[in-house]
Amino acid sequence: MRPRFLSRGRPRRTALAVAFAAVLALTGLGTVTQQAVAAADPLISASRPVSASSIESANFPAGAVVDGDPASRWASNWTDPSWIQIDLGGTAAISKVELDWEAAYASGFQLQVSPDASAWTSIYSTTTGTGGVQNLAVNGSGRYIRMYATNRATQYGYSLYEFKVFGQVTTGTSGYVLANPQVTGVTPSTYNPPHAYFHEFQANCTANHNLPDDPIVFAGQPGKSHMHTFLGNTTTEANSTLASLQAGSTSCLAPGDKSGYWMPTMYDGDTAVNPVGLQTIYYKSSVNDYTSVRPFPPGLKFVVGSPSATSTQFATDPGFVAGWECGNSYHNIDLPIDCPGGGQVNVRFQAPSCWNGLYLDTPDHKSHMAYPVNGSCPADHPVALPMIEFKMAFPANTANMSQLHLSSGRGFSFHYDFFNAWDAPTLAAMVNHCIIGGLQCDSRGYDETQPSKGAALNAQYLLP
């Protein structure tokens, strides 16, 4: 272990950077480092998988260089050569690298890129490295990037506080889709402001088509999925993208909501049973500090629940609200077989609403989202977004419900998908007026119990 006196203090930020960070903190927009402000491209290495040739001890893991913590660091064994590499999740056009060295730095090293972590191409090389904070303009492309060190400036190993990579990433085989811009530096709010009873608005949309497609789980693979019932955007299919959804039309009352919503199709025997009429999709605050909720980023997508869930998993899922209901039969884990009092079959299920700020999608289509804990978002998913709650109503043949089932299986396999394609100004107006404004709004953003507050949208459900 190297003596502690070799460790330097952290570089001091300029007054301008400190003031800018303070403004961002006050506005709830998170923080941006001085270097990131200067860069034209976003940070693409945050929280990415990292590996290294060696670590000095468990106290100095490789992942420390992408964790955003200026006090944590990676340290190698005292050998040459040594390396540390980052998986960017997809082919990246890299424009800048920041290396933030501890006292044990490299005087000689290369920055290398690779499509497969096997064949490497150098995009930067030096034998006169200076240590400290190095901002290096580079031009390279690859899924993997590594710092390959050949000459130690001290008798010890190599040690980095941060290894930041800036550029643009396309979706790679890993399934990670980076947000642009990313939201970093957010601390989950624990503030508990005075509450109105509601902080919500509705999206009212009809079911408009059924397809064996899933543009999230089986993107670009028509017919690969079990049958889904699609609401909202009328063009949603296996090849849907944010651009295609935004160019499409919608069956929601608000023309600005071109999002794709879909769920497994219900069947009565072999006959599809689609929800009839306008369905209710709530957008709510699920954190105590409703003033911290911000709109969904364009292109965010996720899956809620699981088609492979067991009855216990369905009943204990954090999104579970009331299970299946029909007539006077409530809280059913599976589809009810009778409907005392008659009516329709209803289900309600809530989505996670805390985002990690980094990815619009992840390989499991869930890990970038999380449910709040005790009224606050967890530290690794600090960005509070609206909580979506599906409230679906299916017509029922109350004389015989024994043949009801979902395309995904039993009733406890219910799940749904969301692909955000809202018009950004429209969504922002609804979130600000209704959720942050503490109102119980309809799909116009109007609270009939507080008419003096007005509506976010006009009579045509458009921005005034």
Side-chain angles (χ1 to χ4, degrees):
M1 181 70 68
R2 72 177 61 90
R4 291 182 60 86
F5 61 77
L6 276 177
S7 294
R8 296 182 276 110
R10 309 297 298 143
R12 296 174 62 183
R13 294 185 294 172
T14 66
L16 176 61
V18 173
F20 185 65
V23 170
L24 288 170
L26 288 173
T27 58
L29 295 177
T31 60
V32 179
T33 64
Q34 183 181 0
Q35 291 79 14
V37 170
D41 288 324
L43 177 68
I44 57 176
S45 55
S47 301
R48 296 300 305 158
V50 183
S51 57
S53 56
S54 64
I55 59 172
E56 183 181 295
S57 76
N59 294 324
F60 308 112
V65 300
V66 296
D67 65 2
D69 182 349
S72 66
R73 60 185 173 93
W74 162 71
S76 74
N77 287 338
W78 303 357
T79 58
D80 293 317
S82 293
W83 53 263
I84 184 167
Q85 73 182 41
I86 303 173
D87 178 357
L88 299 172
T91 302
I94 301 166
S95 60
K96 175 185 169 183
V97 170
E98 177 189 322
L99 298 175
D100 189 352
W101 293 97
E102 193 253 357
Y105 67 94
S107 58
F109 67 92
Q110 295 182 43
L111 294 176
Q112 302 172 328
V113 293
S114 172
D116 55 9
S118 177
W120 295 93
T121 300
S122 178
I123 59 173
Y124 176 85
S125 180
T126 185
T127 58
T128 57
T130 59
V133 178
Q134 293 183 273
N135 284 286
L136 307 172
V138 296
N139 183 14
S141 177
R143 172 173 171 169
Y144 300 88
I145 182 169
R146 74 177 179 179
M147 189 283 298
Y148 187 81
T150 53
N151 289 303
R152 288 172 285 150
T154 71
Q155 70 186 87
Y156 305 104
Y158 300 96
S159 186
L160 280 169
Y161 288 109
E162 298 288 326
F163 183 175
K164 295 181 179 180
V165 183
F166 299 84
Q168 300 288 339
V169 179
T170 58
T171 303
T173 56
S174 69
Y176 288 87
V177 181
L178 284 147
N180 185 15
Q182 296 177 328
V183 180
T184 60
V186 175
T187 301
S189 176
T190 58
Y191 176 55
N192 195 356
H195 274 246
Y197 190 69
F198 293 100
H199 311 88
E200 65 182 47
F201 65 91
Q202 298 179 16
N204 294 133
C205 314
T206 60
N208 53 65
H209 64 287
N210 296 333
L211 283 175
D213 289 358
D214 189 325
I216 295 178
V217 178
F218 296 109
Q221 303 178 68
K224 182 76 171 180
S225 173
H226 54 252
M227 192 67 72
H228 280 110
T229 297
F230 292 85
L231 302 90
N233 200 294
T234 61
T235 69
T236 313
E237 43 87 28
N239 295 301
S240 290
T241 63
L242 175 60
S244 73
L245 293 176
Q246 290 175 330
S249 57
T250 182
S251 65
C252 299
L253 289 180
D257 185 7
K258 295 185 178 181
S259 300
Y261 308 91
W262 60 98
M263 60 189 170
T265 300
M266 182 182 287
Y267 285 90
D268 187 351
D270 295 328
T271 303
V273 179
N274 286 331
V276 174
L278 289 169
Q279 302 299 302
T280 301
I281 301 168
Y282 289 104
Y283 283 64
K284 303 181 177 183
S285 171
S286 62
V287 293
N288 289 332
D289 185 6
Y290 56 91
T291 66
S292 69
V293 175
R294 65 182 72 194
F296 292 114
L300 181 74
K301 45 190 170 182
F302 54 78
V303 177
V304 184
S306 172
S308 61
T310 65
S311 58
T312 300
Q313 289 170 334
F314 179 70
T316 58
D317 191 287
F320 184 88
V321 179
W324 293 94
E325 301 177 344
C326 189
N328 298 323
S329 178
Y330 304 105
H331 301 287
N332 296 289
I333 306 305
D334 205 348
L335 284 161
I337 59 173
D338 54 37
C339 196
Q344 56 195 11
V345 180
N346 301 324
V347 66
R348 295 171 63 189
F349 211 80
Q350 295 179 342
S353 60
C354 297
W355 179 43
N356 67 8
L358 304 176
Y359 308 117
L360 299 177
D361 194 15
T362 43
D364 64 357
H365 314 297
K366 291 186 174 185
S367 297
H368 53 311
M369 302 296 296
Y371 287 91
V373 178
N374 298 322
S376 296
C377 285
D380 55 354
H381 291 74
V383 185
L385 302 177
M387 182 272 287
I388 287 179
E389 179 182 309
F390 259 40
K391 184 179 181 183
M392 300 291 111
F394 302 83
N397 175 8
T398 56
N400 181 7
M401 299 174 61
S402 63
Q403 300 301 307
L404 287 183
H405 64 97
L406 301 177
S407 59
S408 53
R410 302 271 295 270
F412 43 79
S413 71
F414 180 78
H415 58 285
Y416 61 90
D417 301 53
F418 171 65
F419 194 147
N420 177 43
W422 273 88
D423 170 68
T426 303
L427 178 61
M430 295 290 279
V431 170
N432 291 333
H433 185 69
C434 300
I435 295 179
I436 296 176
L439 302 177
Q440 184 184 18
C441 294
D442 60 15
S443 53
R444 280 187 58 221
Y446 177 74
D447 185 343
E448 63 180 12
T449 68
Q450 300 191 59
S452 63
K453 298 293 181 65
L457 307 179
N458 64 21
Q460 289 74 45
Y461 298 88
L462 297 169
L463 284 173

